[in-house]
Amino acid sequence: MKGQKDATIGEYLLAKLQEYNIQHVFGIPGDYVLRFYQLLEESPIHHVGMTREDAAGYAADAYARVHGIGAACVTYCVGGLSMTNSIAGAYAEKSPVIVISGAPGMEEQRKDPLLHHKVRNFLTQKHIYDQITVAGTVLNDPVTAFDEIDRVFDAVYRQKRPGYIELPRDMVDARGRQLHQPADRETISDPDTLRSAVQEIVDLISESENPVILAGVELHRFGFQDKLVKLIEKTNIPVAATVLGKSVIREDHPLYLGIYEGAMGRDEVRQFVESSDCVIILGAFMTDMNLGIYTAKLEREQTIYITSEQVLVKYHAYEDVTFSDLLDSLLEAPLLKRESPVLDWIERSDRQVDIQADAPITVTRLFEILNGFIADDTMVIADIGDSLFGAIDLKIHQRTDFLSPAYYTSMGFAVPASIGGQLARPDKRVVVLVGDGAFQMTGMELSTSVRQGLNPIVVVINNHGYGTERHLQEGAFNDIGDWQYSQLPKVLGAGKGFVIRTEGELDDALKQAIAHTESFVILDVQLDKLDQSPALMRLAERLSKRV
Amino acid sequence: MKGQKDATIGEYLLAKLQEYNIQHVFGIPGDYVLRFYQLLEESPIHHVGMTREDAAGYAADAYARVHGIGAACVTYCVGGLSMTNSIAGAYAEKSPVIVISGAPGMEEQRKDPLLHHKVRNFLTQKHIYDQITVAGTVLNDPVTAFDEIDRVFDAVYRQKRPGYIELPRDMVDARGRQLHQPADRETISDPDTLRSAVQEIVDLISESENPVILAGVELHRFGFQDKLVKLIEKTNIPVAATVLGKSVIREDHPLYLGIYEGAMGRDEVRQFVESSDCVIILGAFMTDMNLGIYTAKLEREQTIYITSEQVLVKYHAYEDVTFSDLLDSLLEAPLLKRESPVLDWIERSDRQVDIQADAPITVTRLFEILNGFIADDTMVIADIGDSLFGAIDLKIHQRTDFLSPAYYTSMGFAVPASIGGQLARPDKRVVVLVGDGAFQMTGMELSTSVRQGLNPIVVVINNHGYGTERHLQEGAFNDIGDWQYSQLPKVLGAGKGFVIRTEGELDDALKQAIAHTESFVILDVQLDKLDQSPALMRLAERLSKRV
């Protein structure tokens, strides 16, 4: 941060955002953050005004997943506390989001008056964010402010989880100073431990008959997708992905098996992985959703588990070994190239889908037909429920072109996320898959898509209520209002809407959607209340035993 | 709770809700709360499904304000954490809302696995709610569960602030037992302290020349509106209300002065209150919004301050004296009936507004014309910004017929609140005043109004962006998308929309709105970007000095 010695706290924070290459900040202004907004507007960073703060959190999360790090900026309490859930999701799924919140000035706070937006005391919001961030600070002292900003950015960058920076409004223009050099961003492994770990892992792999790699979300977050490809091409070890890891590798790669998610996923993939005598888990978290609600059967005796938080080989752990160093060492290690595995059971050809023009559309056919429309420039963002379960089988062409809150499973992620995703990758066309229940939560954020000139294709999987729940416990509480989604262009003043009842209408609408690039397209896909994907059918059966 | 000895925890909780006369519970189901939802559906309590959890929080808050206590029921984390901001608002403004959240079963939690919806650990949501509730519990033990439920309800009822009850799904059907009798809901004052306090207060009032009462929000919350009326009619002491206290008394009462809010309010009221030699503050919190951002001038030397939390006379405090006992004692005390105060400066007659049919509509005229449409059965719910500032001068006919988040000032309160408000008082017609920015946050909750057969008249004060902020700090960040609000009936399949550009169009639309009782009516009132109410003008001038 050269040249920042005489900066104000606001200027330093903006410079730091730029140092981390954050080009878009998502949020909503409010009086306690207006001065910083003014500085933001004067900076090269783009402010993306959203309609709601929770949506700003989702957009920043998606931006971070695609771009490496993201940021949201909101006002005190009424803004910050509206974003609690989105940031909790970013914490749970390891997405590095910097949260910047305005606050009453220190001078105003001094006498502890009942200033508007205050809840219990002036630290209420900070205490709440302590629960859902890896580092947090209130910039209440110009002497320490720069170091505090460095500390939060550093923790967020290393741990790939959200951080919290609260900026009292009378501190924005206060001049700070740098006491310490910002920490070096690299952590280094203990060389002997690293050597020992690599040796054991190489031996285990070399001795194994049919090793397999299970690739997870951290390969996205740390940008290690290339390392993964090198590793499998060097060794011919095939790779499956967890749900959160989906699209960590282009899905037509000859060594890619598909999604492993226990009994929820395709049986061939499950059998392949579970019959392996050496499962190398890279950057995956063993969540219930990743594992199809704990139906996966992986033996620790045959498992090598490598993440940024832990390195476990069978029953023991190696401390002080970084994810990055271990991957690099494996790439350099004497691992033999095996014979190509026999993977002829995988459907390789994108087989032509025959459209039955007048056949009523079903969930299964919806995803089969959609699959034919996925192109190299398509980014798929799936909300939860059958949007996610069905999307698991879509073949993604490019890496990190699939986003979904697959573990935290917060409804309403997808539409706001499409804004962050496409702004981070303007060369992409985003296909949003979203249920009607989730759309009613955040779908109006299409307003922001219009303002930003984005053009998502939004597929509303309209099964008239909370479909996944109907299969667990039916009741009137699963019903929701029947919106005419295709009429939204009339309200938003842009976009194109379709009502889809047959395969022919779907095919036609998708063709028109591809051609319509100037604004959003929304497809109201009318499904039977109880229609479901095969994956949901299997999952619901298991989940319903626990309700 | 007779007959509840053999109840399950779920049954006991439902019985408790009914004991407190809660007839509507607002929320959204999710798998961790489905079993309790099933019980809820089978009970006499109505479940009101909302489109979003934050909206459920607002609706429960409004219901509590009108009905005395309210409840929301959601799923774990993705549900509960989406409601943080609404419940924080209920805490800040003293609204007694019971939050019920589902959770993973204790058996599932035992091994601390990565179950979906979990953030950091299984207590993350509880820790967050600890910051914004007066009592919280996780019902993880059938032995203590009933007592814990009693404790939370009791604290919420006494302190008029939210409480949190987390119900792990495998505890719903567990049988609990009552160890202790539920606490008596009455707190009793120390008799000697009470006598001494009353004596001093009576002396001060009796010695004063021109006493005045400043009535606040707690009179609503504790249901002491009748006591207030008795007190002023017994003594002929006139009364002003704070913003949060608005409608604590019917506003055409001959002793009612208007709203006191420092320099933001009407000058005559301010002068009257500030020239009093004895200001009796009843149940009001001295917030910056109540006091027009600290421009109010009240001398402690001449102030008696009585709330549920404190009794202050001049510079000293009386402990162990309850709000209720003190009010009752004052009603019985030998306070003389004074001569009627001279209040001829107050505009009493609802003067006829002349409609200039072709004149472009302005904020000032909008509220003047609206005033003529307020009837005995009208409940006004104002969002923040000019919706609130302008609404301050509306003359409310019945008590507790005005709701607004006037202190916490969270945008987006009004539309969801109209659902809770009207369900609590089905004899009322609700007029919602909401800015375009706030409407974009939660206005789609009209979907729930449609489902519930409610008929709010929604006046969108459309100044094309965050209007209040434009007067503090203008920038592109204050712009928002231009929705065609009047087209929403096309999306929601019900309702009636109007675009208003002139006084004549407003008058005509309001007349049609009154006649259209079967569903919502929405008026898109097109205003100039910089048009503002006189109150906002004064406020903005003061606020802008602090940005």
Side-chain angles (χ1 to χ4, degrees):
Chain A
M1 302 293 289
K2 280 169 202 162
Q4 291 298 326
K5 283 197 175 166
D6 301 321
T8 64
I9 296 176
E11 288 165 353
Y12 188 86
L13 184 51
L14 282 168
K16 200 80 187 176
L17 289 165
Q18 290 170 75
E19 185 193 333
Y20 279 79
N21 194 27
I22 293 173
Q23 290 159 21
H24 296 82
V25 169
F26 304 86
I28 296 180
D31 66 336
Y32 289 128
V33 75
L34 279 178
R35 172 64 187 140
F36 184 69
Y37 257 76
Q38 193 181 13
L39 293 182
L40 190 59
E41 185 157 283
E42 291 162 1
S43 82
I45 297 174
H46 302 281
H47 167 255
V48 182
M50 310 286 289
T51 72
R52 306 178 38 95
E53 285 91 355
D54 63 334
Y58 288 137
D61 177 351
Y63 185 89
R65 290 178 194 216
V66 176
H67 190 73
I69 187 166
C73 181
V74 295
T75 194
Y76 189 59
C77 288
V78 293
L81 298 184
S82 293
M83 209 163 58
T84 318
N85 181 57
S86 333
I87 301 305
Y91 183 93
E93 300 193 347
K94 300 207 77 159
S95 182
V97 177
I98 302 280
V99 173
I100 299 167
S101 172
M106 295 313 296
E107 187 57 30
E108 293 168 275
Q109 293 186 25
R110 208 166 48 87
K111 283 196 156 176
D112 196 42
L114 286 172
L115 288 174
H116 63 287
H117 299 344
K118 193 175 90 160
V119 185
R120 174 176 288 183
N121 61 49
F122 284 115
L123 283 176
T124 299
Q125 179 165 288
K126 169 71 163 55
H127 291 323
I128 286 176
Y129 270 90
D130 284 346
Q131 301 293 327
I132 53 175
T133 52
V134 289
T137 188
V138 178
L139 301 177
N140 52 14
D141 183 351
V143 175
T144 56
F146 289 7
D147 290 335
E148 284 292 287
I149 292 171
D150 289 350
R151 180 176 67 78
V152 173
F153 272 82
D154 184 53
V156 169
Y157 186 82
R158 280 174 200 263
Q159 298 182 55
K160 310 297 181 201
R161 284 192 154 134
Y164 176 75
I165 295 173
E166 185 173 311
L167 180 52
R169 59 178 166 180
D170 59 1
M171 289 286 120
V172 178
D173 294 320
R175 293 197 181 276
R177 55 177 130 141
Q178 194 86 49
L179 298 175
H180 307 288
Q181 281 300 310
D184 190 322
R185 284 194 213 158
E186 296 306 317
T187 312
I188 289 163
S189 303
D190 175 68
D192 295 329
T193 313
L194 178 62
R195 200 176 312 120
S196 169
V198 171
Q199 187 60 56
E200 184 179 11
I201 292 168
V202 167
D203 288 349
L204 280 175
I205 295 174
S206 302
E207 288 158 15
S208 68
E209 290 284 325
N210 52 353
V212 65
I213 290 172
L214 186 53
V217 62
E218 284 198 334
L219 296 169
H220 289 294
R221 300 297 189 264
F222 287 86
F224 291 165
Q225 298 98 333
D226 277 342
K227 297 185 186 189
L228 173 69
V229 173
K230 275 188 203 152
L231 184 64
I232 62 172
E233 291 181 350
K234 169 186 173 172
T235 58
N236 262 339
I237 299 176
V239 60
T242 62
V243 184
L244 273 177
K246 185 173 168 68
S247 81
V248 68
I249 181 172
R250 53 177 300 141
E251 300 195 340
D252 53 3
H253 192 287
L255 288 165
Y256 179 68
L257 300 169
I259 297 291
Y260 173 74
E261 46 174 350
M264 193 166 77
R266 290 183 58 198
D267 214 41
E268 301 89 336
V269 180
R270 184 180 65 78
Q271 282 179 17
F272 192 97
V273 172
E274 293 180 2
S275 66
S276 162
D277 60 348
C278 180
V279 180
I280 307 148
I281 300 176
L282 295 180
F285 293 99
M286 299 292 91
T287 70
D288 64 340
M289 293 305 285
N290 263 337
L291 299 183
I293 316 291
Y294 290 120
T295 51
K297 291 199 169 46
L298 296 176
E299 297 293 336
R300 274 192 74 175
E301 178 67 35
Q302 292 165 341
T303 303
I304 298 162
Y305 180 78
I306 304 171
T307 72
S308 71
E309 297 178 6
Q310 273 188 312
V311 175
L312 297 176
V313 179
K314 296 182 174 178
Y315 296 97
H316 51 270
Y318 290 92
E319 308 284 347
D320 295 325
V321 174
T322 72
F323 192 19
S324 173
D325 287 342
L326 197 45
L327 271 183
D328 289 343
S329 302
L330 287 178
L331 286 176
E332 287 161 18
L335 281 166
L336 282 187
K337 185 157 191 158
R338 294 157 181 271
E339 277 180 46
S340 296
V342 181
L343 302 176
D344 50 7
W345 49 271
I346 301 174
E347 272 178 31
R348 287 292 165 197
S349 62
D350 282 324
R351 105 185 121 80
Q352 193 62 35
V353 176
D354 288 328
I355 302 290
Q356 309 283 322
D358 295 329
I361 188 70
T362 64
V363 175
T364 304
R365 290 291 290 166
L366 165 65
F367 282 99
E368 281 175 16
I369 294 167
L370 267 177
N371 212 22
F373 281 86
I374 298 208
D376 277 5
D377 71 344
T378 309
M379 179 186 288
V380 174
I381 303 186
D383 218 280
I384 69 155
D386 239 0
S387 307
L388 170 60
F389 305 135
I392 284 169
D393 287 331
L394 292 179
K395 192 157 281 176
I396 305 301
H397 294 209
Q398 305 282 337
R399 67 195 200 189
T400 312
D401 275 354
F402 180 82
L403 301 183
S404 181
Y407 161 58
Y408 188 59
T409 50
S410 183
M411 281 174 73
F413 172 88
V415 171
S418 75
I419 293 160
Q422 202 180 13
L423 286 173
R425 291 295 303 275
D427 54 319
K428 295 285 171 184
R429 189 83 194 264
V430 179
V431 172
V432 174
L433 304 170
V434 55
D436 51 333
F439 189 89
Q440 292 193 8
M441 288 183 166
T442 57
M444 295 306 285
E445 206 57 52
L446 286 174
S447 174
T448 304
S449 308
V450 172
R451 296 186 65 215
Q452 296 289 326
L454 305 176
N455 55 11
I457 299 170
V458 179
V459 179
V460 180
I461 298 175
N462 186 354
N463 50 14
H464 311 282
Y466 302 128
T468 304
E469 281 170 17
R470 286 197 201 282
H471 298 285
L472 309 181
Q473 175 68 58
E474 179 56 310
F477 44 77
N478 290 323
D479 298 334
I480 65 174
D482 243 331
W483 292 14
Q484 305 306 309
Y485 304 96
S486 63
Q487 299 291 310
L488 277 171
K490 292 206 174 73
V491 173
L492 298 177
K496 210 170 158 68
F498 296 89
V499 179
I500 310 294
R501 288 198 177 80
T502 64
E503 294 189 8
E505 286 170 354
L506 175 64
D507 187 60
D508 180 56
L510 283 171
K511 281 172 184 152
Q512 288 193 52
I514 299 289
H516 178 92
T517 54
E518 60 267 37
S519 64
F520 75 88
V521 178
I522 186 163
L523 279 63
D524 176 356
V525 182
Q526 297 269 332
L527 296 162
D528 188 80
K529 251 181 168 185
L530 292 174
D531 190 9
Q532 57 183 332
S533 68
L536 173 55
M537 205 177 304
R538 289 191 293 270
L539 178 68
E541 203 172 295
R542 285 164 201 287
L543 277 176
S544 62
K545 293 179 185 150
R546 307 191 184 200
V547 168
Chain B
M1 302 291 291
K2 281 168 202 161
Q4 291 298 325
K5 281 198 175 163
D6 300 319
T8 63
I9 296 176
E11 287 165 354
Y12 188 86
L13 185 50
L14 283 167
K16 200 81 188 174
L17 289 165
Q18 290 169 73
E19 186 192 333
Y20 278 80
N21 194 27
I22 293 173
Q23 291 159 20
H24 295 82
V25 169
F26 304 86
I28 296 180
D31 65 338
Y32 290 128
V33 76
L34 279 178
R35 172 64 187 139
F36 185 69
Y37 258 76
Q38 194 182 11
L39 293 182
L40 190 58
E41 186 156 281
E42 291 162 2
S43 82
I45 298 174
H46 302 281
H47 167 256
V48 183
M50 309 286 289
T51 72
R52 305 179 38 95
E53 285 90 355
D54 62 334
Y58 288 136
D61 177 351
Y63 186 88
R65 291 178 194 215
V66 176
H67 190 73
I69 186 165
C73 181
V74 295
T75 194
Y76 189 59
C77 289
V78 293
L81 298 184
S82 293
M83 210 163 57
T84 319
N85 182 58
S86 331
I87 301 304
Y91 183 95
E93 299 191 348
K94 299 207 79 160
S95 181
V97 177
I98 302 280
V99 174
I100 299 167
S101 172
M106 295 314 296
E107 186 57 30
E108 294 167 275
Q109 294 187 24
R110 208 167 45 88
K111 284 195 155 176
D112 196 42
L114 287 171
L115 289 174
H116 62 287
H117 299 344
K118 192 176 90 162
V119 185
R120 175 175 287 182
N121 60 49
F122 285 114
L123 284 174
T124 300
Q125 179 165 288
K126 168 72 163 56
H127 290 325
I128 285 175
Y129 270 90
D130 284 346
Q131 300 295 325
I132 54 176
T133 52
V134 287
T137 188
V138 178
L139 301 177
N140 52 15
D141 183 351
V143 174
T144 55
F146 290 7
D147 290 335
E148 283 292 287
I149 292 171
D150 289 350
R151 180 177 65 78
V152 173
F153 271 83
D154 185 54
V156 169
Y157 187 81
R158 279 173 201 264
Q159 298 182 56
K160 309 298 178 200
R161 285 191 153 136
Y164 176 76
I165 294 174
E166 185 173 310
L167 181 51
R169 58 178 165 179
D170 59 1
M171 290 287 118
V172 177
D173 293 320
R175 292 197 182 277
R177 54 179 132 138
Q178 194 86 49
L179 298 175
H180 307 288
Q181 282 301 309
D184 190 321
R185 285 193 211 157
E186 295 307 315
T187 311
I188 291 162
S189 304
D190 175 71
D192 294 330
T193 314
L194 178 63
R195 199 177 312 117
S196 168
V198 171
Q199 187 59 57
E200 183 178 11
I201 292 168
V202 167
D203 288 349
L204 280 175
I205 295 174
S206 302
E207 289 158 13
S208 67
E209 292 283 326
N210 52 353
V212 66
I213 291 173
L214 186 53
V217 62
E218 284 198 332
L219 296 169
H220 288 295
R221 300 296 189 264
F222 287 86
F224 291 165
Q225 299 99 334
D226 276 343
K227 297 185 184 188
L228 173 69
V229 173
K230 275 188 204 151
L231 185 63
I232 64 173
E233 290 181 352
K234 166 186 174 171
T235 57
N236 261 339
I237 299 176
V239 61
T242 63
V243 183
L244 272 177
K246 183 172 169 69
S247 79
V248 70
I249 181 171
R250 53 177 297 140
E251 300 195 342
D252 53 4
H253 193 286
L255 287 166
Y256 179 67
L257 299 169
I259 298 292
Y260 173 75
E261 46 175 351
M264 194 165 78
R266 290 184 58 198
D267 214 41
E268 299 89 337
V269 181
R270 184 179 66 76
Q271 282 178 18
F272 191 96
V273 172
E274 292 179 5
S275 66
S276 163
D277 61 350
C278 181
V279 180
I280 307 150
I281 300 176
L282 295 180
F285 294 97
M286 300 290 93
T287 71
D288 63 341
M289 294 305 285
N290 264 337
L291 299 182
I293 315 292
Y294 290 119
T295 52
K297 290 200 170 46
L298 296 175
E299 298 293 337
R300 275 192 73 174
E301 179 66 36
Q302 290 164 344
T303 303
I304 299 163
Y305 180 80
I306 303 171
T307 72
S308 71
E309 298 177 6
Q310 274 188 312
V311 175
L312 297 176
V313 178
K314 294 182 174 179
Y315 297 96
H316 51 271
Y318 290 92
E319 308 285 347
D320 296 325
V321 174
T322 72
F323 191 20
S324 173
D325 287 343
L326 197 45
L327 272 182
D328 289 343
S329 303
L330 286 179
L331 286 176
E332 288 160 18
L335 281 165
L336 282 187
K337 187 156 190 158
R338 294 157 181 271
E339 277 180 48
S340 295
V342 182
L343 301 177
D344 51 6
W345 48 272
I346 300 174
E347 273 178 32
R348 287 291 165 197
S349 63
D350 283 323
R351 105 186 120 81
Q352 193 63 35
V353 177
D354 289 326
I355 303 290
Q356 309 283 321
D358 295 329
I361 188 68
T362 63
V363 174
T364 303
R365 289 291 290 167
L366 164 65
F367 283 99
E368 282 175 16
I369 294 167
L370 266 177
N371 212 23
F373 280 86
I374 297 206
D376 276 4
D377 72 344
T378 309
M379 179 186 288
V380 174
I381 303 187
D383 218 282
I384 69 157
D386 239 0
S387 307
L388 170 60
F389 306 134
I392 285 168
D393 287 331
L394 292 180
K395 191 157 282 178
I396 305 300
H397 295 208
Q398 305 284 335
R399 68 192 198 189
T400 310
D401 276 352
F402 179 82
L403 301 183
S404 181
Y407 161 59
Y408 188 60
T409 50
S410 185
M411 282 174 72
F413 172 88
V415 172
S418 75
I419 294 161
Q422 202 181 12
L423 286 174
R425 289 297 302 276
D427 55 318
K428 294 287 172 182
R429 189 83 194 263
V430 179
V431 172
V432 173
L433 305 169
V434 55
D436 50 334
F439 188 89
Q440 292 193 8
M441 288 184 167
T442 57
M444 295 306 285
E445 206 58 52
L446 285 175
S447 174
T448 304
S449 309
V450 172
R451 295 186 64 214
Q452 296 290 327
L454 305 175
N455 56 10
I457 299 171
V458 180
V459 179
V460 180
I461 299 176
N462 186 354
N463 52 13
H464 310 283
Y466 302 127
T468 304
E469 282 171 16
R470 287 197 200 283
H471 298 284
L472 308 181
Q473 175 67 58
E474 179 56 312
F477 45 76
N478 289 325
D479 298 335
I480 66 173
D482 243 332
W483 292 13
Q484 305 305 310
Y485 304 96
S486 64
Q487 298 293 308
L488 277 172
K490 291 206 175 72
V491 172
L492 298 177
K496 211 170 157 69
F498 296 89
V499 179
I500 310 295
R501 290 199 173 79
T502 64
E503 293 189 8
E505 286 169 351
L506 175 64
D507 187 59
D508 180 56
L510 284 171
K511 280 171 185 153
Q512 288 193 52
I514 299 290
H516 177 94
T517 54
E518 61 268 36
S519 63
F520 75 88
V521 177
I522 186 164
L523 280 63
D524 176 357
V525 183
Q526 297 270 331
L527 296 161
D528 188 81
K529 252 181 169 184
L530 293 174
D531 190 10
Q532 58 183 332
S533 69
L536 174 54
M537 205 178 302
R538 289 190 293 269
L539 177 67
E541 204 172 295
R542 285 165 201 287
L543 276 176
S544 63
K545 292 178 185 152
R546 306 194 186 198
V547 169

